[in-house]
Amino acid sequence: MSSTAGRTGAEAVGGTSRRRFIGAVATAAASVAVGPAAGPALPAAAEARPRGTRRLFLGTYTSVAGGGSGIGLAAYDDVTGRITATGTLSGVSDPSFLAVHPSRRTLYTVNEQQEGGVTAVRLSPDGHHHVLGTRPTGGAGPCHLSVHPSGHWLLSANYLSGSVAVHPIGASGALGARTALVTHSTPPPGPGQDGPHAHQIVTSPDGAHVLAVDLGNDTVYTYRLDTSRGSLTRVSYASLRPGAGPRHLTFHPAGRFAYLANEVDNTVVVCAYDPATGRLTPGSPQPTGTGPGTSYPAQLVVTGDGRYAFLANRGHNSLTRYAIEGGGSRLRLLGTVPVGGDFPRHIALSPGENLLFAANQRSSSVSVFQVDHCGGELRPVGTPFSSPAAVCALPLEL
């Protein structure tokens, strides 16, 4: 389930028991200057990266005991998967989810706090990264963001508020004032939920539509983004079965199907997608291979060749492997493998897709696996890398 800075122990479903923040955390959290300033807000962070390695950015919670002090900086060997710590970009509060601009020159993170924000970080080839500034999301508990393929808009999802926001991206990579804020008011919340809980916002592969996944309403909303004004217009929505708790959606590379992880009822769903209308049509729930009960599925990733999908199961501490068949229309369960850590919150493929990284929140570690593209096997590499309250791993090519 959606674990956050205010909830790192056993997870409960619905109502106030699964709220992402508590008052003590909200008041104790480190502050980030939120405002219109686009200039550098913090000194540059020097990153000592070994030669021949690639960059790895790590999201964390800064307002919990044992958490991080900002965005973790690391390097990984693309052959062996070995991770080396290179520093920290400090002063960024609760950077729990990260995304990179298509140019690879700017990094974006949510600030998952009661007064939510999104922060832009200018990346430097010499490792001297610096913060460009932070903008308010207009909601509470932003837990996900993505960059529109045009590179001109940043999309974010406010979990506690059940809303999604849009910010313009300037030529420098800095963020402008928010241009849209839409709250998911209908349909009503699902069983055990206290309201809408937007958990993800992504752009369809064809770039024509924006889809927002709401766990609280058991709904995936489709919007059209006005790329001249930055406004969102709802064009359709797809309802999951009551109590499913949809969390993250991942598209097949052909763009006609998408795969949805449901964290509450412990299922995945293959969804048909119509690029012309943006309409998503969910299929029947499928098992995660973790047995009875729920294991809080977190996220699916799909290989670029469209042959395999992998799912992180937080309660089961495993990764499920699926073969993708029928041009993307079917998932065939292959089995599960232990993740080598506790509570895998986020997984990501390396740019070359020969490695898979799993950020394990409760064990404060990042596990690495070699990906076999012939049979979909995942083979653990070395010892998990220690990283405080690791909740996101973003490997880059350079």
Side-chain angles (χ1 to χ4, degrees):
M1 194 162 299
S2 309
S3 162
T4 67
R7 193 165 39 78
T8 58
E11 303 217 345
V13 179
T16 56
S17 62
R18 73 178 308 283
R19 291 183 64 82
R20 290 182 159 261
F21 297 89
I22 56 177
V25 170
T27 55
S31 62
V32 174
V34 176
L42 295 169
E47 178 187 10
R49 183 161 59 103
R51 293 188 63 180
T53 59
R54 302 182 178 189
R55 286 188 176 130
L56 177 67
F57 294 92
L58 301 170
T60 184
Y61 287 118
T62 60
S63 56
V64 298
S69 58
I71 299 172
L73 306 177
Y76 70 97
D77 187 301
D78 191 48
V79 176
T80 66
R82 178 182 173 84
I83 300 175
T84 305
T86 60
T88 302
L89 183 61
S90 61
V92 183
S93 297
D94 291 321
S96 63
F97 197 87
L98 312 171
V100 70
H101 192 276
S103 69
R104 301 296 189 267
R105 292 195 293 267
T106 312
L107 180 74
Y108 299 96
T109 179
V110 297
N111 306 114
E112 193 174 341
Q113 300 183 319
Q114 186 65 40
E115 295 183 2
V118 282
T119 296
V121 177
R122 187 65 172 178
L123 302 181
S124 172
D126 62 7
H128 288 76
H129 316 311
H130 65 272
V131 175
L132 294 173
T134 300
R135 292 283 186 174
T137 60
C143 63
H144 185 270
L145 51 70
S146 61
V147 182
H148 188 266
S150 67
H152 299 319
W153 305 98
L154 184 72
L155 315 167
S156 58
N158 294 307
Y159 179 85
L160 279 181
S161 302
S163 61
V164 292
V166 181
H167 289 80
I169 298 175
S172 69
L175 299 170
R178 189 179 63 250
T179 57
L181 180 66
V182 179
T183 299
H184 298 154
S185 57
T186 57
Q193 299 294 334
D194 57 359
H197 293 301
H199 217 309
Q200 182 196 30
I201 183 166
V202 294
T203 306
S204 59
D206 57 8
H209 298 95
V210 170
L211 291 91
V213 179
D214 195 294
L215 184 151
N217 289 355
D218 294 320
T219 300
V220 180
Y221 299 87
T222 299
Y223 296 96
R224 196 174 293 278
L225 173 68
D226 185 324
T227 54
S228 61
R229 298 186 302 165
S231 60
L232 291 173
T233 302
R234 194 171 87 178
V235 297
S236 68
Y237 68 88
S239 295
L240 280 298
R241 68 177 180 177
R247 178 184 174 95
H248 269 213
L249 183 81
T250 304
F251 276 92
H252 185 272
R256 293 285 182 171
F257 296 94
Y259 313 105
L260 189 60
N262 295 322
E263 74 165 59
V264 179
D265 73 357
N266 193 34
T267 64
V268 296
V269 172
V270 178
C271 304
Y273 174 72
D274 183 355
T277 64
R279 184 172 296 277
L280 196 72
T281 305
S284 300
Q286 297 182 227
T288 61
T290 58
T294 182
S295 62
Y296 309 127
Q299 180 195 7
L300 282 153
V301 295
V302 176
T303 57
D305 58 12
R307 296 180 59 194
Y308 299 102
F310 306 112
L311 170 70
N313 302 297
R314 288 167 293 168
H316 196 247
N317 287 331
S318 67
L319 302 175
T320 302
R321 302 179 298 112
Y322 295 97
I324 300 176
E325 301 174 337
S329 64
R330 296 191 304 272
L331 290 178
R332 178 166 56 88
L333 180 63
L334 297 176
T336 64
V337 296
V339 75
D342 191 359
F343 218 67
R345 172 75 178 267
H346 177 262
I347 56 176
L349 291 166
S350 64
E353 298 192 347
N354 58 312
L355 298 173
L356 182 144
F357 297 84
N360 305 305
Q361 181 176 354
R362 292 180 182 169
S363 58
S364 292
S365 64
V366 179
S367 304
V368 185
F369 296 81
Q370 288 184 334
V371 181
D372 176 10
H373 287 265
C374 293
E377 298 288 341
L378 294 174
R379 300 185 178 92
V381 176
T383 302
F385 173 76
S386 179
S387 179
V391 291
C392 185
L394 179 63
L396 298 187
E397 188 170 2
L398 299 175

